[in-house]
Amino acid sequence: MTLTITANTYRNPFIEQRADPWVYKHADGFYYFTGSVPAYDCIELRRAKTLDGLREAEPKVVWRKYDRGPMSANIWAPEIHYIEGKWYIYFAAARTAETKAGLFDHRMFVLENESANPLEGSWIEKGQIFTKWESFSLDATTFEHKGVRYLVWPQKDPSIEGNSNLYIAEMENPWTIKGEQVMLSKPEFDWEVIGYKVNEGPAVIKRNGKVFIAYSASATDHHYCMGLLWANEEADLLDPASWTKSPTPVFQTSEENGQYGPGHNSFTVTEDGKHDVLVYHARSYKEIEGDPLYDPNRHARLKLFTWDKDGFPQFGEPLPDTMNMEKVK
């Protein structure tokens, strides 16, 4: 079965210079957007009634980094979630922008806001999410399944070579995990270990009787790409044996379309709720001067995607920035 979509008028780039884009559509009818700002010094939110409206929506800074301490450098990849009547922002922060043995100093932190509109009210620091190790960790995401809330995140296991593996744990509350954390994936395929051994940026979507986790791999240049894990919705999500990993990337650079290093995605839906939308960042050029992390032009982009007859997402390839209409097969 082939589904063709011809109604996508989303223009790309979606929002310029916003890496690690996160879009959440709330029950109030608004879309909420956040992402890494190029200076890595604050967290912004914006909202709009339409996806395209987010482009021109006025961003509001809701939190700024400290001058010193554990939340004073490299504020990365914020995500906004609505959990039991309150808003939460998950983000990564470090004490220093310097690296040690090739690793940054990031840990995961949580903010909370009781206001109906998260651009208003006060954001309260709930503190660090503590895990098994006090080591490099980032990109925390959360989801609920069958009445249980889970955290999925990348972290450095001191005993495993590489930068980050993907872990899952049950949550006691929105800023605390409980029980054992379980490793779901580590960088092992050739496309996951270019430049750095990285699994990061997890994003969860539940469809067709399965729980999917998209994630990103390799260095943040044109080698950056997306992988996919999945489990049956009835399975024990805390059992690594429940999960299957795609041996090939599911979304990657398209030289032909001038799109490089697509990844660190989130998922949302169209305004009418009928179609799924991939939200991701990518560059429009391949050659980068200096460290790719400090090149500001990872722009947020949108792409409709569909599902095959077996219930798996079909992301296709990143489209040229000049394309205003698309067909998804």
Side-chain angles (χ1 to χ4, degrees):
M1 175 182 176
T2 299
L3 172 63
T4 300
I5 297 174
T6 58
N8 182 24
T9 56
Y10 300 130
R11 296 169 293 155
N12 283 321
F14 168 45
I15 297 177
E16 294 189 350
Q17 295 194 339
R18 291 297 182 271
D20 315 321
W22 183 264
V23 174
Y24 169 70
K25 188 181 184 184
H26 189 43
D28 62 3
F30 282 94
Y31 288 95
Y32 292 85
F33 174 88
T34 188
S36 298
V37 303
Y40 298 145
D41 62 350
C42 67
I43 297 173
E44 289 182 349
L45 289 179
R46 63 179 77 186
R47 73 173 190 164
K49 285 286 190 177
T50 65
L51 280 168
D52 201 52
L54 288 170
R55 179 184 287 105
E56 305 302 329
E58 185 70 24
K60 180 179 180 181
V61 174
V62 298
W63 184 88
R64 291 188 182 276
K65 74 177 186 67
Y66 286 80
D67 292 333
R68 60 185 64 85
M71 294 186 286
S72 63
N74 278 359
I75 309 305
W76 286 357
E79 294 188 6
I80 185 167
H81 295 261
Y82 190 76
I83 303 170
E84 297 179 353
K86 298 179 182 179
W87 293 97
Y88 293 90
I89 291 176
Y90 294 78
F91 67 101
R95 291 180 179 274
T96 174
E98 302 299 317
T99 60
K100 184 177 181 180
L103 287 172
F104 285 98
D105 186 45
H106 286 78
R107 303 293 187 270
M108 303 174 292
F109 298 90
V110 183
L111 306 175
E112 179 188 77
N113 189 338
E114 296 184 0
S115 175
N117 178 358
L119 278 71
E120 301 173 349
S122 299
W123 284 95
I124 307 301
E125 295 171 6
K126 304 302 288 186
Q128 180 181 338
I129 301 176
F130 291 99
T131 64
K132 182 177 180 179
W133 310 287
E134 188 63 28
S135 66
F136 175 67
S137 53
L138 71 168
D139 296 350
T141 195
T142 183
F143 72 102
E144 180 275 335
H145 186 60
K146 296 189 177 299
V148 178
R149 179 155 296 279
Y150 298 91
L151 190 79
V152 179
W153 74 98
Q155 186 166 16
K156 165 67 176 178
D157 178 340
S159 67
I160 295 178
E161 183 183 357
N163 295 71
S164 57
N165 316 307
L166 290 181
Y167 297 88
I168 189 172
E170 190 176 338
M171 301 196 80
E172 180 177 313
N173 57 45
W175 58 93
T176 310
I177 64 172
K178 67 177 181 181
E180 287 294 315
Q181 66 187 63
V182 175
M183 186 175 73
L184 297 183
S185 174
K186 65 180 180 180
E188 55 190 317
F189 297 119
D190 290 347
W191 51 273
E192 296 179 295
V193 299
I194 304 174
Y196 297 98
K197 295 182 177 181
V198 169
N199 283 178
E200 66 180 19
V204 177
I205 186 169
K206 298 191 292 182
R207 295 285 188 278
N208 308 320
K210 298 180 179 67
V211 180
F212 296 92
I213 301 177
Y215 66 94
S216 296
S218 287
T220 57
D221 56 15
H222 63 283
H223 297 296
Y224 206 57
C225 60
M226 282 170 48
L228 191 69
L229 302 167
W230 63 89
N232 186 286
E233 66 177 4
E234 301 297 335
D236 178 3
L237 301 187
L238 296 177
D239 181 357
S242 299
W243 295 87
T244 302
K245 180 177 179 176
S246 172
T248 57
V250 294
F251 200 57
Q252 60 188 322
T253 288
S254 171
E255 297 258 7
E256 181 181 358
N257 292 342
Q259 299 292 300
Y260 300 93
H264 203 120
N265 76 290
S266 58
F267 296 107
T268 191
V269 294
T270 53
E271 286 79 358
D272 61 9
K274 294 181 178 179
H275 303 293
D276 289 302
V277 181
L278 180 70
V279 187
Y280 64 98
H281 71 231
R283 291 187 180 88
S284 58
Y285 51 87
K286 183 176 182 178
E287 301 303 322
I288 301 168
E289 293 184 8
D291 189 331
L293 278 171
Y294 298 103
D295 176 285
N297 294 316
R298 289 182 292 174
H299 303 323
R301 292 172 162 86
L302 302 175
K303 187 181 189 299
L304 292 172
F305 68 96
T306 57
W307 302 83
D308 68 16
K309 61 181 176 59
D310 297 316
F312 284 82
Q314 299 297 296
F315 299 123
E317 61 182 13
L319 299 168
D321 284 343
T322 54
M323 186 173 290
N324 292 325
M325 302 289 287
E326 74 176 273
K327 293 183 178 180
V328 180
K329 293 184 178 180

